[in-house]
Amino acid sequence: MSYALIVAEVRRGVFEERNLDSVGLAALLGKETVLFVPEGPYQIPEKIADTIVRAKTAEETFLNPLNLTKMLEQIFAGRGKPDYLIFTQSSSGMECAPYSAGFFGLPVITDVSAYDKDKGIFYKSYYSDKVFGEFKPAGGAAVVLTVRSGSFKECAAERSVAAKIEELSGIAETEGRVFIEYVEEEKSDIDITKADFLLSVGRGIGNKDEIPAYEDLANKLKAVLSGSRPVIDKMWLPKPRQVGTSGKTVKPKVYLAMGISGAFQHIAGMKDSDCIIAVNKDTEAPIFQYAHFGIIADIHKVRDKLKEIVNG
Amino acid sequence: MNILVFTKRVAATQEEELRIRDEGAAVDLSKVPFKINDWDNYSVEEAVRIVEKEGGTVTAISIGDAESDEVLRRAIAMGAKDGFLIESDAVMHDPGARSRLILNFIKKENVPFDVIFTGVQSEDDQFGCVGGILGAILGLPYSSMVIGIDAIEKDHMIIRRELEGGLQERVKLAVPCVLSIQSGINEPRYVSIMGIRKASKVERKVFKAADYPAENAPGIEIVRWTYPAKKGGATMLAGELDVMCGQLLGILKEKGVYQ
Ligand SMILES: Cc1cc2nc3c(=O)[nH]c(=O)nc-3n(C[C@H](O)[C@H](O)[C@H](O)COP(=O)(O)OP(=O)(O)OC[C@H]3O[C@@H](n4cnc5c(N)ncnc54)[C@H](O)[C@@H]3O)c2cc1C
C-alpha cells in the first residue's frame, strides 16, 4: 500500500506544533497519511491524518531510536514499507531518522524545507542556507525525510472526517538505551523572553573579550543582551541567554542581531519578533531574508558609533 | 576505553559569497578557506578527555581528499594517538554511502573500539546522519545531541542529550555504542601551530576508499544546486556609518524601546 508514515513528537504531554510541518509535507506528497504517536492524555487535531496509530508506550520510550525501529518493523509487517517515513528536523528527529534509515536500508534526506511536486525534488540546505541542493531518492525508492519546522504547516489541510484510530501493542523495550529522567535548565535571574528589546550577538563578535563592550552598548540602549548558540557554546554568555530551538523562543518589540548569520535553528527562536534589525558584513547572510531592516557593516564599528551617538 | 572519532575538513563559508558553477552542477569552493568541522572539534576534545581520565586510546578518522590530513594532525595535537585517512577524491554527498564505507573499513581492517564519536552534523552539508546510520548498521545503541557524559562504566554509559528549549534527557546506553556529540559539551583546548607541527611527526595511515566498496543500497542523488528563494528581505539602511547608525536609533525610537 502506498502511504506516508509520520513519526510524531510528543514532549512532556504536548503534541508539538512542528508535527504539522510533517503533516503538510505528506499532504503535498499526495499520499495517504498515517500518523504514529505515543500514548498520553494530550490532544491531537483529529482530522489531520487518515489514520492515527497509537503505540501503547509513553513518549520517553517512543522517541528512542532502538525502540522506535522495532515498532516500525511491526507497522511495516502489517502495511508494508511506506513510500515516505517522515520526522521533524529536531533533536529526536535528527536521532531517529538516520537510525531508521540505516536499520531499514532506506536512503535519507534531512532538513527538507521545500518540495517540487512536478520534479519529485526535495530542497535541502547546504552551507547554512547559502545554497540549496535539489535531491531525490535514486531510482524513486522509498525515502526517510526530516522536515524543517515552519516549512509546510500551511499545506496541512483538514480532512472531512476524523482519522481512523489503530493501536500498536506488544512493544518490546530495549535494554540498549534506556530513558532515565528529564533534566531542567538551571534557573536564571534574567529572562530574555520577557525583554522588549534584545541585543543579540553571534559568532561574528570574534572573541570573549568583546562581550563587555556589547554589554555596555546594551546597557546604554536599555536592551538585554542575548546570543546565538556558538556564543553560549564557547561560554561567552550563559545558557539562559541563548536564542533558538535549543535555547529560548523570544518575541521582543525589537531584536537587534549583530554578527549572526541566520541558521534556521536561530531564526525559529526569534522570527516572530515585531521588528528584526540585522547587522552583518556579509551581504548574502541569510538573516537579511528574515530581518525588517539591515545594515551591511562591521559590527564593531556599528557598536562604537552607536555608543558615540548615544553618549552625545 | 578505545574511542574512534570521526573528523571532517569543511569549507568555512559563513563569511563567503558562494557561487554556483556549470548551470547548477557544482558549488565553487576554490576561493573558500577550509577548517575542522566545529562539531568534530568538540567530539575530539570529549574523546581525549575521556581517555585522559579512564585510559585507552583515541583514533581520529577522516574521509576526504589528501588535504584532510590537516584535521588528523590537529586531532593528534589535541591528544589522539593515531590518525587514519580514508582517501576519497569524489565528495560523497550521500551520508548512507559514507556510513557504509566506514562500516566496511572497520570490518575489513578489524579496527577495535568501545565507542564511536561523530559530531552532531557537519557544517557544510548539515545532514547529521553518518552517526545514526552507522549505529544502526553496526547494530549498536545510538544517541545524538549528546551534551554531557555523566558516568562511564564497563558495560554502559550515562549521558545527557539535548532536547528543545533548554530541556535535556538523561539516558543509559550500553557499550559499545555510537554517540553524536553536540557543540558546547566542553571547552575544546587551544591547538598551537607548534603542537600541530609536532603532531606531523606522528605517522598517519592512509587507506583508499575504493578498497572498501559498499554493497548497492538505495541512495540519494543530487540533481543540481540552487540559490535560496528570496523572501522579500530587509530594507537595507544605506550611507555613511553615522547616517546608518542614526537611522537605526530612529527605528528604535519609533518602536518605543529607546528614548
Ligand atoms: C540541534 C541543533 C540545535 C541548534 N540550536 C541552536 C539555537 O538554539 N540557537 C542558535 O543560534 N543556533 C543553534 N544551532 C546552531 C546553528 O545551526 C548555527 O550553527 C548557529 O546559529 C550559527 O551562529 P552564528 O550565526 O552566531 O554564527 P555563524 O553562522 O558563524 O555566523 C557569524 C556571522 O557573523 C558575521 N560576521 C563575522 N564577523 C563580522 C564582523 N566583524 N562584522 C559583521 N559581521 C560579521 C558573518 O558574516 C556571519 O554571518 C543549532 C544547531 C543544531 C545542530
Side-chain angles (χ1 to χ4, degrees), chain A residues 91 95 124 127-128 130 132 134 136 176 178 180-181 183 229 233 289 294, chain B residues 16 124-126 144 162 168 170 172 174 183 221 223 226 231 235 237:
Chain A
S91 174
E95 183 175 74
K124 179 196 181 315
Y127 308 113
S128 312
K130 287 208 164 164
F132 281 72
E134 298 183 359
K136 60 180 185 190
V178 181
I180 302 174
E181 62 187 345
V183 183
R229 172 152 197 140
D233 283 346
Q289 295 300 315
Chain B
E16 306 293 322
D124 50 0
D125 64 38
Q126 303 153 238
S144 185
E162 193 180 74
Q168 302 179 350
R170 191 169 279 127
K172 180 176 164 186
S183 60
E221 57 188 69
V223 178
T226 53
K231 293 190 173 59
T235 303
L237 308 183

PDB file of all heavy atoms in Angstrom, chain A residues 91 95 124 127-128 130 132 134 136 176 178 180-181 183 229 233 289 294, chain B residues 16 124-126 144 162 168 170 172 174 183 221 223 226 231 235 237:
ATOM      1  N   SER A  91      15.714  17.557  17.742  1.00  0.00           N
ATOM      2  CA  SER A  91      16.626  16.676  18.464  1.00  0.00           C
ATOM      3  C   SER A  91      16.288  15.199  18.246  1.00  0.00           C
ATOM      4  O   SER A  91      17.142  14.402  17.874  1.00  0.00           O
ATOM      5  CB  SER A  91      16.580  17.024  19.957  1.00  0.00           C
ATOM      6  OG  SER A  91      17.343  16.104  20.683  1.00  0.00           O
ATOM      7  N   GLU A  95      17.842  12.218  15.506  1.00  0.00           N
ATOM      8  CA  GLU A  95      18.392  10.987  16.054  1.00  0.00           C
ATOM      9  C   GLU A  95      17.712   9.761  15.424  1.00  0.00           C
ATOM     10  O   GLU A  95      18.368   8.793  15.032  1.00  0.00           O
ATOM     11  CB  GLU A  95      18.180  10.979  17.566  1.00  0.00           C
ATOM     12  CG  GLU A  95      18.753   9.791  18.270  1.00  0.00           C
ATOM     13  CD  GLU A  95      18.612   9.933  19.765  1.00  0.00           C
ATOM     14  OE1 GLU A  95      17.482   9.790  20.293  1.00  0.00           O
ATOM     15  OE2 GLU A  95      19.622  10.221  20.428  1.00  0.00           O
ATOM     16  N   LYS A 124      17.169  20.867   0.128  1.00  0.00           N
ATOM     17  CA  LYS A 124      17.872  20.732   1.395  1.00  0.00           C
ATOM     18  C   LYS A 124      18.960  21.792   1.498  1.00  0.00           C
ATOM     19  O   LYS A 124      19.735  21.975   0.570  1.00  0.00           O
ATOM     20  CB  LYS A 124      18.503  19.344   1.462  1.00  0.00           C
ATOM     21  CG  LYS A 124      19.248  19.165   2.730  1.00  0.00           C
ATOM     22  CD  LYS A 124      20.193  18.013   2.738  1.00  0.00           C
ATOM     23  CE  LYS A 124      20.860  17.944   4.103  1.00  0.00           C
ATOM     24  NZ  LYS A 124      21.312  19.243   4.590  1.00  0.00           N
ATOM     25  N   TYR A 127      25.578  24.628   3.504  1.00  0.00           N
ATOM     26  CA  TYR A 127      26.321  25.833   3.892  1.00  0.00           C
ATOM     27  C   TYR A 127      25.401  26.855   4.556  1.00  0.00           C
ATOM     28  O   TYR A 127      25.319  28.007   4.125  1.00  0.00           O
ATOM     29  CB  TYR A 127      27.012  26.445   2.664  1.00  0.00           C
ATOM     30  CG  TYR A 127      27.846  25.461   1.890  1.00  0.00           C
ATOM     31  CD1 TYR A 127      27.490  25.067   0.611  1.00  0.00           C
ATOM     32  CD2 TYR A 127      28.994  24.903   2.458  1.00  0.00           C
ATOM     33  CE1 TYR A 127      28.251  24.151  -0.091  1.00  0.00           C
ATOM     34  CE2 TYR A 127      29.752  23.974   1.764  1.00  0.00           C
ATOM     35  CZ  TYR A 127      29.381  23.605   0.485  1.00  0.00           C
ATOM     36  OH  TYR A 127      30.124  22.697  -0.209  1.00  0.00           O
ATOM     37  N   SER A 128      24.696  26.437   5.608  1.00  0.00           N
ATOM     38  CA  SER A 128      23.817  27.334   6.369  1.00  0.00           C
ATOM     39  C   SER A 128      22.947  28.203   5.466  1.00  0.00           C
ATOM     40  O   SER A 128      22.937  29.422   5.595  1.00  0.00           O
ATOM     41  CB  SER A 128      24.615  28.250   7.299  1.00  0.00           C
ATOM     42  OG  SER A 128      25.549  27.511   8.011  1.00  0.00           O
ATOM     43  N   LYS A 130      23.139  29.053   2.366  1.00  0.00           N
ATOM     44  CA  LYS A 130      23.687  29.886   1.281  1.00  0.00           C
ATOM     45  C   LYS A 130      23.400  29.250  -0.072  1.00  0.00           C
ATOM     46  O   LYS A 130      23.321  29.931  -1.085  1.00  0.00           O
ATOM     47  CB  LYS A 130      25.187  30.069   1.466  1.00  0.00           C
ATOM     48  CG  LYS A 130      25.466  31.009   2.625  1.00  0.00           C
ATOM     49  CD  LYS A 130      26.757  31.727   2.456  1.00  0.00           C
ATOM     50  CE  LYS A 130      26.785  32.899   3.401  1.00  0.00           C
ATOM     51  NZ  LYS A 130      28.133  33.425   3.558  1.00  0.00           N
ATOM     52  N   PHE A 132      21.172  25.680  -1.831  1.00  0.00           N
ATOM     53  CA  PHE A 132      20.301  24.534  -1.577  1.00  0.00           C
ATOM     54  C   PHE A 132      20.593  23.432  -2.588  1.00  0.00           C
ATOM     55  O   PHE A 132      20.871  23.700  -3.747  1.00  0.00           O
ATOM     56  CB  PHE A 132      18.823  24.935  -1.640  1.00  0.00           C
ATOM     57  CG  PHE A 132      18.376  25.605  -0.371  1.00  0.00           C
ATOM     58  CD1 PHE A 132      18.797  26.891  -0.062  1.00  0.00           C
ATOM     59  CD2 PHE A 132      17.585  24.928   0.543  1.00  0.00           C
ATOM     60  CE1 PHE A 132      18.440  27.494   1.127  1.00  0.00           C
ATOM     61  CE2 PHE A 132      17.214  25.528   1.742  1.00  0.00           C
ATOM     62  CZ  PHE A 132      17.647  26.815   2.037  1.00  0.00           C
ATOM     63  N   GLU A 134      19.148  20.187  -4.633  1.00  0.00           N
ATOM     64  CA  GLU A 134      17.903  19.535  -5.063  1.00  0.00           C
ATOM     65  C   GLU A 134      18.166  18.038  -5.090  1.00  0.00           C
ATOM     66  O   GLU A 134      18.919  17.557  -5.935  1.00  0.00           O
ATOM     67  CB  GLU A 134      17.494  20.019  -6.450  1.00  0.00           C
ATOM     68  CG  GLU A 134      17.209  21.506  -6.507  1.00  0.00           C
ATOM     69  CD  GLU A 134      16.724  21.961  -7.877  1.00  0.00           C
ATOM     70  OE1 GLU A 134      16.630  21.130  -8.806  1.00  0.00           O
ATOM     71  OE2 GLU A 134      16.447  23.158  -8.016  1.00  0.00           O
ATOM     72  N   LYS A 136      16.897  13.833  -4.837  1.00  0.00           N
ATOM     73  CA  LYS A 136      15.813  12.854  -4.888  1.00  0.00           C
ATOM     74  C   LYS A 136      16.366  11.467  -4.588  1.00  0.00           C
ATOM     75  O   LYS A 136      17.554  11.214  -4.763  1.00  0.00           O
ATOM     76  CB  LYS A 136      15.082  12.902  -6.221  1.00  0.00           C
ATOM     77  CG  LYS A 136      15.920  12.627  -7.429  1.00  0.00           C
ATOM     78  CD  LYS A 136      15.002  12.728  -8.648  1.00  0.00           C
ATOM     79  CE  LYS A 136      15.726  12.338  -9.897  1.00  0.00           C
ATOM     80  NZ  LYS A 136      14.970  12.646 -11.096  1.00  0.00           N
ATOM     81  N   GLY A 176      19.315  -1.632  25.498  1.00  0.00           N
ATOM     82  CA  GLY A 176      20.483  -0.956  24.954  1.00  0.00           C
ATOM     83  C   GLY A 176      20.489   0.542  25.187  1.00  0.00           C
ATOM     84  O   GLY A 176      21.545   1.170  25.247  1.00  0.00           O
ATOM     85  N   VAL A 178      18.129   3.329  27.526  1.00  0.00           N
ATOM     86  CA  VAL A 178      17.015   3.462  28.464  1.00  0.00           C
ATOM     87  C   VAL A 178      16.919   4.900  28.968  1.00  0.00           C
ATOM     88  O   VAL A 178      17.909   5.481  29.433  1.00  0.00           O
ATOM     89  CB  VAL A 178      17.210   2.505  29.668  1.00  0.00           C
ATOM     90  CG1 VAL A 178      16.042   2.612  30.646  1.00  0.00           C
ATOM     91  CG2 VAL A 178      17.373   1.069  29.186  1.00  0.00           C
ATOM     92  N   ILE A 180      16.231   7.749  31.533  1.00  0.00           N
ATOM     93  CA  ILE A 180      16.269   7.829  32.989  1.00  0.00           C
ATOM     94  C   ILE A 180      15.370   8.954  33.499  1.00  0.00           C
ATOM     95  O   ILE A 180      14.457   8.729  34.277  1.00  0.00           O
ATOM     96  CB  ILE A 180      17.710   8.020  33.508  1.00  0.00           C
ATOM     97  CG1 ILE A 180      18.606   6.872  33.033  1.00  0.00           C
ATOM     98  CG2 ILE A 180      17.712   8.118  35.037  1.00  0.00           C
ATOM     99  CD1 ILE A 180      20.081   7.033  33.373  1.00  0.00           C
ATOM    100  N   GLU A 181      15.635  10.182  33.022  1.00  0.00           N
ATOM    101  CA  GLU A 181      14.830  11.315  33.509  1.00  0.00           C
ATOM    102  C   GLU A 181      15.029  12.531  32.620  1.00  0.00           C
ATOM    103  O   GLU A 181      15.998  12.609  31.864  1.00  0.00           O
ATOM    104  CB  GLU A 181      15.256  11.682  34.935  1.00  0.00           C
ATOM    105  CG  GLU A 181      16.718  12.122  34.984  1.00  0.00           C
ATOM    106  CD  GLU A 181      17.250  12.339  36.401  1.00  0.00           C
ATOM    107  OE1 GLU A 181      16.436  12.425  37.323  1.00  0.00           O
ATOM    108  OE2 GLU A 181      18.479  12.439  36.538  1.00  0.00           O
ATOM    109  N   VAL A 183      15.963  16.500  32.479  1.00  0.00           N
ATOM    110  CA  VAL A 183      16.794  17.403  33.279  1.00  0.00           C
ATOM    111  C   VAL A 183      16.462  18.830  32.862  1.00  0.00           C
ATOM    112  O   VAL A 183      16.571  19.173  31.679  1.00  0.00           O
ATOM    113  CB  VAL A 183      18.302  17.135  33.043  1.00  0.00           C
ATOM    114  CG1 VAL A 183      19.159  18.016  33.920  1.00  0.00           C
ATOM    115  CG2 VAL A 183      18.629  15.654  33.249  1.00  0.00           C
ATOM    116  N   ARG A 229      23.817  30.368  19.435  1.00  0.00           N
ATOM    117  CA  ARG A 229      24.360  29.171  20.079  1.00  0.00           C
ATOM    118  C   ARG A 229      25.884  29.166  20.230  1.00  0.00           C
ATOM    119  O   ARG A 229      26.387  28.832  21.312  1.00  0.00           O
ATOM    120  CB  ARG A 229      23.888  27.941  19.311  1.00  0.00           C
ATOM    121  CG  ARG A 229      24.549  26.699  19.780  1.00  0.00           C
ATOM    122  CD  ARG A 229      23.773  25.453  19.617  1.00  0.00           C
ATOM    123  NE  ARG A 229      24.435  24.497  20.489  1.00  0.00           N
ATOM    124  CZ  ARG A 229      23.838  23.620  21.236  1.00  0.00           C
ATOM    125  NH1 ARG A 229      22.537  23.538  21.220  1.00  0.00           N
ATOM    126  NH2 ARG A 229      24.521  22.820  22.015  1.00  0.00           N
ATOM    127  N   ASP A 233      27.903  28.202  23.491  1.00  0.00           N
ATOM    128  CA  ASP A 233      28.790  27.028  23.480  1.00  0.00           C
ATOM    129  C   ASP A 233      30.185  27.394  23.960  1.00  0.00           C
ATOM    130  O   ASP A 233      30.833  26.638  24.679  1.00  0.00           O
ATOM    131  CB  ASP A 233      28.927  26.461  22.061  1.00  0.00           C
ATOM    132  CG  ASP A 233      27.713  25.657  21.629  1.00  0.00           C
ATOM    133  OD1 ASP A 233      26.884  25.314  22.498  1.00  0.00           O
ATOM    134  OD2 ASP A 233      27.596  25.370  20.431  1.00  0.00           O
ATOM    135  N   GLN A 289      17.148  37.831   4.992  1.00  0.00           N
ATOM    136  CA  GLN A 289      15.879  37.378   4.431  1.00  0.00           C
ATOM    137  C   GLN A 289      14.746  37.457   5.451  1.00  0.00           C
ATOM    138  O   GLN A 289      13.577  37.440   5.087  1.00  0.00           O
ATOM    139  CB  GLN A 289      15.997  35.930   3.924  1.00  0.00           C
ATOM    140  CG  GLN A 289      16.953  35.751   2.766  1.00  0.00           C
ATOM    141  CD  GLN A 289      16.536  36.573   1.557  1.00  0.00           C
ATOM    142  OE1 GLN A 289      15.362  36.599   1.174  1.00  0.00           O
ATOM    143  NE2 GLN A 289      17.495  37.272   0.965  1.00  0.00           N
ATOM    144  N   GLY A 294      18.219  46.077   7.597  1.00  0.00           N
ATOM    145  CA  GLY A 294      19.557  45.503   7.577  1.00  0.00           C
ATOM    146  C   GLY A 294      20.625  46.560   7.415  1.00  0.00           C
ATOM    147  O   GLY A 294      20.403  47.603   6.783  1.00  0.00           O
TER     148      GLY A 294
ATOM    149  N   GLU B  16      31.606  33.926   3.352  1.00  0.00           N
ATOM    150  CA  GLU B  16      31.962  33.902   1.937  1.00  0.00           C
ATOM    151  C   GLU B  16      30.728  34.017   1.050  1.00  0.00           C
ATOM    152  O   GLU B  16      29.650  33.559   1.409  1.00  0.00           O
ATOM    153  CB  GLU B  16      32.666  32.577   1.592  1.00  0.00           C
ATOM    154  CG  GLU B  16      33.851  32.258   2.450  1.00  0.00           C
ATOM    155  CD  GLU B  16      35.015  33.210   2.245  1.00  0.00           C
ATOM    156  OE1 GLU B  16      35.233  33.603   1.080  1.00  0.00           O
ATOM    157  OE2 GLU B  16      35.678  33.562   3.237  1.00  0.00           O
ATOM    158  N   ASP B 124      29.067  21.876   6.579  1.00  0.00           N
ATOM    159  CA  ASP B 124      28.869  22.084   5.139  1.00  0.00           C
ATOM    160  C   ASP B 124      27.526  21.518   4.666  1.00  0.00           C
ATOM    161  O   ASP B 124      26.686  22.242   4.169  1.00  0.00           O
ATOM    162  CB  ASP B 124      30.047  21.529   4.324  1.00  0.00           C
ATOM    163  CG  ASP B 124      30.431  20.104   4.690  1.00  0.00           C
ATOM    164  OD1 ASP B 124      29.786  19.510   5.584  1.00  0.00           O
ATOM    165  OD2 ASP B 124      31.380  19.565   4.081  1.00  0.00           O
ATOM    166  N   ASP B 125      27.302  20.209   4.872  1.00  0.00           N
ATOM    167  CA  ASP B 125      26.065  19.643   4.324  1.00  0.00           C
ATOM    168  C   ASP B 125      24.931  19.556   5.338  1.00  0.00           C
ATOM    169  O   ASP B 125      23.781  19.335   4.955  1.00  0.00           O
ATOM    170  CB  ASP B 125      26.328  18.282   3.671  1.00  0.00           C
ATOM    171  CG  ASP B 125      26.810  17.223   4.656  1.00  0.00           C
ATOM    172  OD1 ASP B 125      26.324  17.191   5.790  1.00  0.00           O
ATOM    173  OD2 ASP B 125      27.671  16.408   4.269  1.00  0.00           O
ATOM    174  N   GLN B 126      25.234  19.690   6.620  1.00  0.00           N
ATOM    175  CA  GLN B 126      24.208  19.686   7.670  1.00  0.00           C
ATOM    176  C   GLN B 126      23.293  18.468   7.606  1.00  0.00           C
ATOM    177  O   GLN B 126      22.135  18.551   7.986  1.00  0.00           O
ATOM    178  CB  GLN B 126      23.350  20.958   7.588  1.00  0.00           C
ATOM    179  CG  GLN B 126      24.103  22.248   7.677  1.00  0.00           C
ATOM    180  CD  GLN B 126      23.371  23.374   6.949  1.00  0.00           C
ATOM    181  OE1 GLN B 126      23.913  23.984   6.045  1.00  0.00           O
ATOM    182  NE2 GLN B 126      22.141  23.612   7.318  1.00  0.00           N
ATOM    183  N   SER B 144      22.170  10.827  19.780  1.00  0.00           N
ATOM    184  CA  SER B 144      22.691  12.057  19.194  1.00  0.00           C
ATOM    185  C   SER B 144      22.451  13.210  20.161  1.00  0.00           C
ATOM    186  O   SER B 144      21.787  13.040  21.185  1.00  0.00           O
ATOM    187  CB  SER B 144      21.993  12.334  17.864  1.00  0.00           C
ATOM    188  OG  SER B 144      22.593  13.460  17.250  1.00  0.00           O
ATOM    189  N   GLU B 162      20.533  16.700  24.510  1.00  0.00           N
ATOM    190  CA  GLU B 162      19.796  17.953  24.483  1.00  0.00           C
ATOM    191  C   GLU B 162      18.495  17.782  23.718  1.00  0.00           C
ATOM    192  O   GLU B 162      18.473  17.192  22.646  1.00  0.00           O
ATOM    193  CB  GLU B 162      20.686  18.952  23.764  1.00  0.00           C
ATOM    194  CG  GLU B 162      20.275  20.358  23.876  1.00  0.00           C
ATOM    195  CD  GLU B 162      21.266  21.219  23.112  1.00  0.00           C
ATOM    196  OE1 GLU B 162      21.226  21.201  21.874  1.00  0.00           O
ATOM    197  OE2 GLU B 162      22.063  21.869  23.759  1.00  0.00           O
ATOM    198  N   GLN B 168      16.841  18.743  28.800  1.00  0.00           N
ATOM    199  CA  GLN B 168      17.700  17.618  28.439  1.00  0.00           C
ATOM    200  C   GLN B 168      17.062  16.323  28.930  1.00  0.00           C
ATOM    201  O   GLN B 168      16.182  16.356  29.770  1.00  0.00           O
ATOM    202  CB  GLN B 168      19.078  17.755  29.105  1.00  0.00           C
ATOM    203  CG  GLN B 168      19.802  19.040  28.749  1.00  0.00           C
ATOM    204  CD  GLN B 168      21.155  19.165  29.455  1.00  0.00           C
ATOM    205  OE1 GLN B 168      21.489  18.399  30.350  1.00  0.00           O
ATOM    206  NE2 GLN B 168      21.924  20.156  29.030  1.00  0.00           N
ATOM    207  N   ARG B 170      18.267  12.417  30.466  1.00  0.00           N
ATOM    208  CA  ARG B 170      19.378  11.555  30.870  1.00  0.00           C
ATOM    209  C   ARG B 170      19.055  10.149  30.403  1.00  0.00           C
ATOM    210  O   ARG B 170      17.930   9.670  30.555  1.00  0.00           O
ATOM    211  CB  ARG B 170      19.561  11.614  32.390  1.00  0.00           C
ATOM    212  CG  ARG B 170      20.849  10.974  32.853  1.00  0.00           C
ATOM    213  CD  ARG B 170      21.163  11.271  34.326  1.00  0.00           C
ATOM    214  NE  ARG B 170      21.778  12.576  34.510  1.00  0.00           N
ATOM    215  CZ  ARG B 170      21.348  13.509  35.352  1.00  0.00           C
ATOM    216  NH1 ARG B 170      20.274  13.311  36.075  1.00  0.00           N
ATOM    217  NH2 ARG B 170      21.986  14.659  35.471  1.00  0.00           N
ATOM    218  N   LYS B 172      20.620   5.977  29.680  1.00  0.00           N
ATOM    219  CA  LYS B 172      21.633   4.938  29.884  1.00  0.00           C
ATOM    220  C   LYS B 172      21.820   4.179  28.577  1.00  0.00           C
ATOM    221  O   LYS B 172      20.849   3.733  27.974  1.00  0.00           O
ATOM    222  CB  LYS B 172      21.152   3.985  30.980  1.00  0.00           C
ATOM    223  CG  LYS B 172      22.108   2.875  31.294  1.00  0.00           C
ATOM    224  CD  LYS B 172      21.588   2.055  32.459  1.00  0.00           C
ATOM    225  CE  LYS B 172      22.336   0.727  32.516  1.00  0.00           C
ATOM    226  NZ  LYS B 172      21.762  -0.155  33.547  1.00  0.00           N
ATOM    227  N   ALA B 174      24.065   1.114  26.514  1.00  0.00           N
ATOM    228  CA  ALA B 174      25.009   0.000  26.625  1.00  0.00           C
ATOM    229  C   ALA B 174      26.247   0.306  25.775  1.00  0.00           C
ATOM    230  O   ALA B 174      26.163   0.951  24.741  1.00  0.00           O
ATOM    231  CB  ALA B 174      24.341  -1.279  26.132  1.00  0.00           C
ATOM    232  N   SER B 183      27.725  20.482  20.010  1.00  0.00           N
ATOM    233  CA  SER B 183      28.632  21.591  20.318  1.00  0.00           C
ATOM    234  C   SER B 183      28.310  22.131  21.708  1.00  0.00           C
ATOM    235  O   SER B 183      27.156  22.098  22.138  1.00  0.00           O
ATOM    236  CB  SER B 183      28.486  22.693  19.281  1.00  0.00           C
ATOM    237  OG  SER B 183      27.159  23.178  19.265  1.00  0.00           O
ATOM    238  N   GLU B 221      20.344  11.077  -4.913  1.00  0.00           N
ATOM    239  CA  GLU B 221      21.175  11.750  -5.900  1.00  0.00           C
ATOM    240  C   GLU B 221      20.914  13.252  -5.872  1.00  0.00           C
ATOM    241  O   GLU B 221      19.801  13.693  -5.593  1.00  0.00           O
ATOM    242  CB  GLU B 221      20.962  11.176  -7.297  1.00  0.00           C
ATOM    243  CG  GLU B 221      19.543  11.211  -7.777  1.00  0.00           C
ATOM    244  CD  GLU B 221      19.382  10.441  -9.080  1.00  0.00           C
ATOM    245  OE1 GLU B 221      19.504   9.189  -9.049  1.00  0.00           O
ATOM    246  OE2 GLU B 221      19.134  11.090 -10.100  1.00  0.00           O
ATOM    247  N   VAL B 223      20.453  16.494  -7.849  1.00  0.00           N
ATOM    248  CA  VAL B 223      20.034  16.858  -9.205  1.00  0.00           C
ATOM    249  C   VAL B 223      20.774  18.124  -9.638  1.00  0.00           C
ATOM    250  O   VAL B 223      21.380  18.180 -10.688  1.00  0.00           O
ATOM    251  CB  VAL B 223      18.512  17.057  -9.269  1.00  0.00           C
ATOM    252  CG1 VAL B 223      18.078  17.472 -10.666  1.00  0.00           C
ATOM    253  CG2 VAL B 223      17.799  15.774  -8.833  1.00  0.00           C
ATOM    254  N   THR B 226      21.037  25.151  -6.206  1.00  0.00           N
ATOM    255  CA  THR B 226      20.340  26.411  -6.489  1.00  0.00           C
ATOM    256  C   THR B 226      20.577  27.401  -5.353  1.00  0.00           C
ATOM    257  O   THR B 226      20.958  27.013  -4.247  1.00  0.00           O
ATOM    258  CB  THR B 226      18.815  26.233  -6.615  1.00  0.00           C
ATOM    259  OG1 THR B 226      18.340  25.562  -5.447  1.00  0.00           O
ATOM    260  CG2 THR B 226      18.434  25.458  -7.837  1.00  0.00           C
ATOM    261  N   LYS B 231      12.986  35.938  -0.043  1.00  0.00           N
ATOM    262  CA  LYS B 231      11.721  36.069   0.678  1.00  0.00           C
ATOM    263  C   LYS B 231      11.270  37.516   0.813  1.00  0.00           C
ATOM    264  O   LYS B 231      10.516  37.851   1.706  1.00  0.00           O
ATOM    265  CB  LYS B 231      11.884  35.500   2.088  1.00  0.00           C
ATOM    266  CG  LYS B 231      12.098  34.017   2.131  1.00  0.00           C
ATOM    267  CD  LYS B 231      11.997  33.534   3.560  1.00  0.00           C
ATOM    268  CE  LYS B 231      12.026  32.015   3.644  1.00  0.00           C
ATOM    269  NZ  LYS B 231      13.245  31.435   3.084  1.00  0.00           N
ATOM    270  N   THR B 235      14.731  45.911   4.462  1.00  0.00           N
ATOM    271  CA  THR B 235      15.031  47.243   3.946  1.00  0.00           C
ATOM    272  C   THR B 235      16.449  47.570   4.389  1.00  0.00           C
ATOM    273  O   THR B 235      16.727  47.615   5.590  1.00  0.00           O
ATOM    274  CB  THR B 235      14.061  48.280   4.562  1.00  0.00           C
ATOM    275  OG1 THR B 235      12.747  47.864   4.262  1.00  0.00           O
ATOM    276  CG2 THR B 235      14.326  49.670   4.025  1.00  0.00           C
ATOM    277  N   LEU B 237      19.576  49.746   5.212  1.00  0.00           N
ATOM    278  CA  LEU B 237      19.939  51.126   5.527  1.00  0.00           C
ATOM    279  C   LEU B 237      21.235  51.414   4.774  1.00  0.00           C
ATOM    280  O   LEU B 237      22.116  50.563   4.691  1.00  0.00           O
ATOM    281  CB  LEU B 237      20.134  51.314   7.033  1.00  0.00           C
ATOM    282  CG  LEU B 237      18.966  50.814   7.904  1.00  0.00           C
ATOM    283  CD1 LEU B 237      19.238  51.109   9.371  1.00  0.00           C
ATOM    284  CD2 LEU B 237      17.646  51.441   7.475  1.00  0.00           C
TER     285      LEU B 237
END
